[in-house]
Amino acid sequence: MKAIFTRPQSMSTTPTHYCPGCTHGIIHRLVAESLDECQVREKTIGVAPVGCAVLAYNYFDVDFIEAPHGRAPAVATGVKRGLPDRFVFTYQGDGDLASIGTAEIIHAANRGEKISVIFVNNAIYGMTGGQMAPTTLPNQVTSTCPNGRDVTTAGYPIRVCELLSALQTDAFIARVSVHSPKNIIAAKKILRRAFQYQVENRCFTLVEFLSTCPTNWGLAPKKATEWLDKNMIPYYPLRIFKTPEQGVLPA
Amino acid sequence: MPKVNIDRDRCKGCELCTQACPQEIIKMSKNINLKGYFYAEVVDQSRCIGCRLCAISCPDVAIDVLINGVQYVYFEY
Amino acid sequence: MKKLMKGCEALGEAAIRAGCRHFFGYPITPQTEVPEYLSRRLPEVGGVYVQAESEVAASNMIYGCGAAGVRVFTSSSSPGVSLMGEALSYMAGSEVPVVVINIVRGGPGLGGILPAQSDYFQGTRGMGHGDFHLIVLAPASVQEAADLMMEAFDIAEQYRNPVMVMGDGIIGQMMEPVEFKEPKQRQLPPKTWATNGAKNRPPNRIHSLFLDPVKLEDHNWKLKRKYDEIEKNEQRWEVYSTNREYDLLIAAYGTTARIAKTSIDMLASEGIFVGLVRPISLYPFPYQAVREAAMKAKQILVVEMSTGQMVDDIKLAVAEHRPIHFYGRTGGIVPSPDEIAQHIRELLSKK
């Protein structure tokens, strides 16, 4: 029999440490599939964040560097500037990218670094046990906003794609989700396009993945996908925000 | 006729594949695997249409899908 | 052929002469001439100059570039170097070779922009969290700065550890004739560990996370063995007018050591004989050499542009077998030869 679906080559066989139903695993697979399809596995360098995905390098069969919390875009800049013909991507969570790493992501995007950023938004700090993140939704309960996020003191959740799209430098920025098969399939197309831009050394690319966190949301995996659909999709619309073809957006 | 292989001990019992299968032929077993999870299993392989949605939805790459002969492509992936 | 160059620019040129083609930096007085010079010079040699958004980012950029097996360095000054502490700890922990220049200015906090030596503790002990050391080299002239800079890359790669060249505002800003000489040949191991694309080999990992305490302890002791090796092989110092009897020994490094030499010459003409020991490697500190020089003197005067930091290491070296005095100026004020000489006269006259 012929396999029409199996583990991508860029993915290692190591079982992941992620919680049951956590969609990090799906995103990992989409990245690995895309690396295979772009045929860049042997010249890829991944940069892992600090957060649930800090152990990402155990799950990819590519060279990996572990960046300090939030610094992956800077580390990736160093790698790409040092070895311009390699394929460089960062894999970061919302605490990593949208909180401590905001300066790094904004400036990497603004310099137009030819890297790809996989930004996983699950509206919470997973690794440390469910604290409020910059992407935590208004009134969403977490271990550090037990009465729900109070926007009058904690402000509103940050929409990273919209924020970065305001920069003038060419980029491909899109938000996708992996909470249902239909979305996973659509997400893969977008990710492949993003990676293709880097293969063609065209521009900075970032794909934001809405992702579930069953454990810290306190929901069973299936319920978590429903919660994401009902709560996160309205606040974080899924679309392509910026493409290099559009050129510089009007001031 | 397509064949879905679920790696019993890699499954974490998250049930996302049961939700994804349009034929609703993936159920959770009554038995537990090495990690102590109720693992997913195909209850009626004959009704499988080889759409791959179960494998696509699996966060742990625990599902392979195989066919013999020509694959009917429902969607580009 | 010697060329008159500003310290900061000589450091930049030395890096290029050492084959380095990548620099990631950020402006901060008094070292801004390093990035300025390189922003013009690196493109001329097909190199890469990136101005980062902060020293935090710059230090992480060199981490990535060094991890990819590429020769790379950054430059900053005291407050900026403080921001690099986290990344330097990661680079030491994941054994990534890089070079960092610190042109020290007055501190703490924003401090001042004039020269100081108040980062001795930071460089040799407190650079970041965890058990690690930077190899710290302290030049006392523009020529020596260039020499040490050129060799720093080889040392970093030989031991897979960050190396810091620690000057001060004077070293960075003054102009002196300088020539660029090849450092002594070193056996540099191939960078099989680099994350430059897993082609025909298993993937490489550059990481410092060891969740298993047994593995982390093994890693810590492995680094300790490396530092023992460095302490055995890389100690550097200079002695001045210690080939005859001397009542008092001055211990000083960098700019203050040069100033102290003038004091020594001045006192010698008055029949007062003083020696000098000048540590060049602040880590690994030349304890043995300092001890030998100290034992020939009745007392020791440590001179620093700080409230006293290297003095602690002198005490360690001499184990208090001799009274150890300290004389320091801070805030950017540089001691003059006269005031040092005067202080020595007072020390020697007191019975």
Side-chain angles (χ1 to χ4, degrees), chain A residues 12 41-45 50 54-55 57-69 71 73-79 81-84 86 100 103-105 107-108 111 113, chain C residues 22 24 48-54 56-58 60-65 67-70 86-87 90 94 194-209 211:
Chain A
S12 75
R41 186 181 69 81
E42 290 189 333
K43 58 177 197 149
T44 294
I45 294 109
V50 166
V54 66
L55 295 176
Y57 51 73
N58 289 333
Y59 312 129
F60 287 99
D61 254 350
V62 298
D63 279 359
F64 246 91
I65 304 170
E66 183 188 89
H69 197 29
R71 316 305 177 200
V75 173
T77 297
V79 178
R81 294 298 185 112
L83 302 171
R86 292 330 192 262
I100 189 171
E104 280 76 12
I105 193 62
H107 286 280
R111 286 190 304 269
E113 300 295 341
Chain C
H22 291 81
F24 302 82
V48 170
Y49 165 84
V50 175
Q51 182 160 312
E53 61 270 26
S54 71
V56 173
N60 279 283
M61 290 174 188
I62 64 169
Y63 173 34
C65 197
V70 176
E86 179 195 40
Y90 272 71
S94 38
T195 50
N196 48 22
K199 194 171 173 52
N200 311 326
R201 63 167 170 75
N204 282 335
R205 308 273 188 259
I206 292 289
H207 72 106
S208 47
L209 178 72
L211 287 174

Side-chain angles (χ1 to χ4, degrees), chain A residues 204-220:
Chain A
F204 171 82
T205 57
L206 176 140
V207 179
E208 177 177 348
F209 288 78
L210 298 186
S211 180
T212 62
C213 183
T215 300
N216 290 308
W217 290 357
L219 297 167

Side-chain angles (χ1 to χ4, degrees), chain A residues 98-168:
Chain A
S99 193
I100 189 171
T102 26
E104 280 76 12
I105 193 62
I106 287 173
H107 286 280
N110 198 56
R111 286 190 304 269
E113 300 295 341
K114 306 290 189 300
I115 60 175
S116 296
V117 175
I118 313 297
F119 167 43
V120 179
N121 174 0
N122 59 6
I124 205 156
Y125 279 87
M127 157 75 85
T128 42
Q131 295 73 29
M132 180 176 72
T135 47
T136 296
L137 296 176
N139 307 317
Q140 180 182 342
V141 171
T142 74
S143 68
T144 50
C145 54
N147 304 314
R149 181 187 189 124
D150 175 356
V151 294
T152 63
T153 53
Y156 282 82
I158 296 174
R159 293 186 176 113
V160 168
C161 286
E162 290 82 340
L163 187 78
L164 295 178
S165 299
L167 298 172
Q168 294 299 296

Side-chain angles (χ1 to χ4, degrees), chain C residues 74-116:
Chain C
T74 187
S75 169
S76 188
S77 172
S78 307
V81 175
S82 295
L83 291 179
M84 298 185 170
E86 179 195 40
L88 283 167
S89 174
Y90 272 71
M91 285 181 258
S94 38
E95 301 190 88
V96 171
V98 293
V99 175
V100 180
I101 296 170
N102 182 0
I103 301 297
V104 181
R105 58 187 264 175
L110 199 46
I113 59 169
L114 293 177

Side-chain angles (χ1 to χ4, degrees), chain A residues 146-203:
Chain A
N147 304 314
R149 181 187 189 124
D150 175 356
V151 294
T152 63
T153 53
Y156 282 82
I158 296 174
R159 293 186 176 113
V160 168
C161 286
E162 290 82 340
L163 187 78
L164 295 178
S165 299
L167 298 172
Q168 294 299 296
T169 313
D170 273 358
F172 176 76
I173 295 172
R175 180 182 294 124
V176 297
S177 181
V178 285
H179 69 288
S180 73
K182 183 167 76 70
N183 277 290
I184 296 168
I185 294 161
K188 167 124 189 238
K189 275 196 197 57
I190 301 274
L191 179 59
R192 275 289 279 110
R193 180 173 172 190
F195 277 12
Q196 194 54 34
Y197 281 124
Q198 180 175 169
V199 168
E200 290 158 10
N201 207 31
R202 180 68 181 75
C203 65

Side-chain angles (χ1 to χ4, degrees), chain C residues 44-279:
Chain C
E44 284 173 3
V45 293
V48 170
Y49 165 84
V50 175
Q51 182 160 312
E53 61 270 26
S54 71
E55 289 93 347
V56 173
S59 56
N60 279 283
M61 290 174 188
I62 64 169
Y63 173 34
C65 197
V70 176
R71 216 160 235 211
V72 64
F73 78 111
T74 187
S75 169
S76 188
S77 172
S78 307
V81 175
S82 295
L83 291 179
M84 298 185 170
E86 179 195 40
L88 283 167
S89 174
Y90 272 71
M91 285 181 258
S94 38
E95 301 190 88
V96 171
V98 293
V99 175
V100 180
I101 296 170
N102 182 0
I103 301 297
V104 181
R105 58 187 264 175
L110 199 46
I113 59 169
L114 293 177
Q117 295 179 317
S118 34
D119 293 2
Y120 182 92
F121 281 155
Q122 177 191 55
T124 58
R125 287 167 173 74
M127 196 63 243
H129 59 285
D131 265 331
F132 76 97
H133 287 285
L134 299 189
I135 296 166
V136 182
L137 305 173
S141 68
V142 171
Q143 179 61 57
E144 190 176 35
D147 297 342
L148 292 176
M149 187 67 189
M150 285 189 77
E151 201 175 355
F153 291 95
D154 288 351
I155 299 172
E157 284 176 18
Q158 179 174 339
Y159 296 101
R160 282 184 66 185
N161 199 80
V163 172
M164 174 179 281
V165 174
M166 179 190 278
D168 59 53
I170 291 180
I171 303 279
Q173 289 300 320
M174 75 177 160
M175 295 184 82
E176 282 188 312
V178 63
E179 58 185 335
F180 300 97
K181 300 167 278 187
E182 279 303 315
K184 73 173 166 67
Q185 268 309 333
R186 282 175 182 257
Q187 261 307 336
L188 295 182
K191 297 181 180 177
T192 49
W193 45 266
T195 50
N196 48 22
K199 194 171 173 52
N200 311 326
R201 63 167 170 75
N204 282 335
R205 308 273 188 259
I206 292 289
H207 72 106
S208 47
L209 178 72
F210 296 88
L211 287 174
D212 174 353
V214 173
K215 289 208 174 80
L216 182 53
E217 178 169 48
D218 289 348
H219 185 59
N220 280 338
W221 288 115
K222 174 195 170 197
L223 293 178
K224 177 66 171 70
R225 283 191 298 277
K226 177 195 319 193
Y227 295 126
D228 292 345
E229 195 60 22
I230 289 169
E231 283 169 20
K232 197 156 61 76
N233 304 332
E234 299 298 336
Q235 288 186 31
R236 298 157 190 254
W237 68 91
E238 179 205 15
V239 287
Y240 179 73
S241 85
T242 55
N243 42 25
R244 61 159 188 262
E245 293 300 314
Y246 48 90
D247 302 326
L248 180 138
L249 177 78
I250 294 179
Y253 70 95
T255 301
T256 33
R258 279 178 75 167
I259 293 164
K261 285 182 183 173
T262 310
S263 313
I264 289 171
D265 298 344
M266 201 184 291
L267 290 169
S269 63
E270 301 166 23
I272 299 172
F273 298 109
V274 174
L276 165 77
V277 63
R278 172 171 78 96

Side-chain angles (χ1 to χ4, degrees), chain A residues 8-88:
Chain A
Q9 203 200 347
S10 296
M11 203 158 191
S12 75
T13 54
T14 320
T16 71
H17 70 286
Y18 299 117
C19 307
C22 165
T23 48
H24 258 308
I26 296 174
I27 301 166
H28 279 35
R29 197 195 68 237
L30 296 183
V31 169
E33 285 166 353
S34 304
L35 291 176
D36 283 359
E37 286 157 29
C38 291
Q39 295 169 342
V40 288
R41 186 181 69 81
E42 290 189 333
K43 58 177 197 149
T44 294
I45 294 109
V47 183
V50 166
C52 288
V54 66
L55 295 176
Y57 51 73
N58 289 333
Y59 312 129
F60 287 99
D61 254 350
V62 298
D63 279 359
F64 246 91
I65 304 170
E66 183 188 89
H69 197 29
R71 316 305 177 200
V75 173
T77 297
V79 178
K80 190 71 177 187
R81 294 298 185 112
L83 302 171
D85 64 342
R86 292 330 192 262
F87 188 93
V88 181

